[in-house]
Amino acid sequence: MKKIGLFIVLLCSFWGTAQLQSAEKNTVSVSGRTPVERTTALYRARVSLNMEQLYYSDPTCKSLDDLKDKYFKELKIHGLDSNEFTEKQMDFLAYGYQRDGTILELETDSEEKIKSLAKVKMTGVSVQYQLKGVITKEKKEALLETALENAKQNAARVCKVVGKKLGDIVSISDTNTQMELWNSYGNTYQEYITIYVTYKME
């Protein structure tokens, strides 16, 4: 009796697997995508003040305070207020440099301020620039619709090749595109919204 029961279980399992495989044969899975264009909402500059080179190249700067004072004067000449910068010395220490130094960070929505900052050139000072790109909820929804249409076109082409008609959507998922994203300034990487769709084939 136990053997009969086991046989029935195995038969049901095989039947369920066969149905699943049959269903999978009547579907087509594709992806669709569309490029993302973000609006720049904020700029960030991380200024590293490092005494490493100055002990040899600029004897007028004998301490970090001297370097900061000299840098702040240069900022003022270019119309920038040093009070807008936030000091993050622990960030500098985490880099493990052997000499004294610090990090000054500026966040602003003014592109002109970033341009002015880029004109300040000094030994012992290096700057990294980032920008914060955003997309609105409405824009993201529109992009998803465009990506879905692209996926539908791709699926229709596949169905045509195998002599089938495109049916309803079985499943759909998308990449988790963030509404806000910090990128390095001048990054030429093209971002896309991508969705993955499975359709029935009839």
Side-chain angles (χ1 to χ4, degrees):
M1 189 69 179
K2 290 183 178 179
K3 291 183 178 180
I4 295 175
L6 179 60
F7 175 76
I8 292 173
V9 170
L10 290 173
L11 182 62
C12 290
S13 176
F14 173 77
W15 179 250
T17 303
Q19 284 183 316
L20 177 61
Q21 290 176 343
S22 177
E24 288 176 347
K25 288 181 180 179
N26 290 313
T27 62
V28 56
S29 297
V30 296
S31 65
R33 68 176 191 169
T34 188
V36 178
E37 298 296 335
R38 294 179 179 270
T39 301
T40 301
L42 202 62
Y43 301 89
R44 177 190 290 161
R46 285 175 61 84
V47 183
S48 175
L49 304 184
N50 193 339
M51 291 294 295
E52 189 72 33
Q53 300 177 19
L54 296 181
Y55 289 107
Y56 312 101
S57 61
D58 189 352
T60 63
C61 289
K62 298 180 180 179
S63 68
L64 178 58
D65 286 338
D66 290 340
L67 177 57
K68 286 168 65 175
D69 184 60
K70 185 176 181 179
Y71 185 64
F72 289 162
K73 288 177 180 178
E74 286 295 319
L75 291 178
K76 188 174 182 180
I77 291 172
H78 289 82
L80 296 167
D81 185 355
S82 60
N83 292 321
E84 293 187 59
F85 290 75
T86 302
E87 185 167 6
K88 297 187 175 183
Q89 192 170 35
M90 189 61 205
D91 287 9
F92 181 86
L93 295 175
Y95 287 134
Y97 290 122
Q98 298 299 312
R99 300 291 187 178
D100 291 337
T102 191
I103 298 291
L104 303 175
E105 189 171 274
L106 171 69
E107 286 192 5
T108 177
D109 58 2
S110 171
E111 185 179 17
E112 293 304 315
K113 286 186 179 181
I114 294 298
K115 289 180 179 179
S116 295
L117 181 62
K119 295 176 182 178
V120 181
K121 309 291 185 181
M122 279 180 53
T123 303
V125 177
S126 60
V127 190
Q128 294 178 326
Y129 300 98
Q130 291 180 308
L131 56 84
K132 184 179 185 180
V134 300
I135 51 175
T136 63
K137 180 181 178 181
E138 294 76 17
K139 180 63 175 178
K140 183 177 179 180
E141 290 176 354
L143 291 171
L144 286 172
E145 289 180 5
T146 302
L148 179 58
E149 181 60 30
N150 179 242
K152 185 176 181 180
Q153 292 170 2
N154 293 337
R157 282 193 289 268
V158 175
C159 288
K160 184 177 181 180
V161 170
V162 298
K164 297 279 189 175
K165 290 185 178 180
L166 185 63
D168 295 331
I169 293 176
V170 175
S171 65
I172 184 171
S173 62
D174 72 310
T175 51
N176 186 24
T177 304
Q178 300 178 52
M179 305 294 286
E180 301 178 351
L181 186 66
W182 283 101
N183 280 315
S184 297
Y185 202 86
N187 184 9
T188 58
Y189 170 75
Q190 177 61 65
E191 182 186 3
Y192 289 88
I193 279 185
T194 304
I195 62 171
Y196 304 92
V197 192
T198 298
Y199 293 90
K200 290 181 180 179
M201 289 196 301
E202 300 173 350

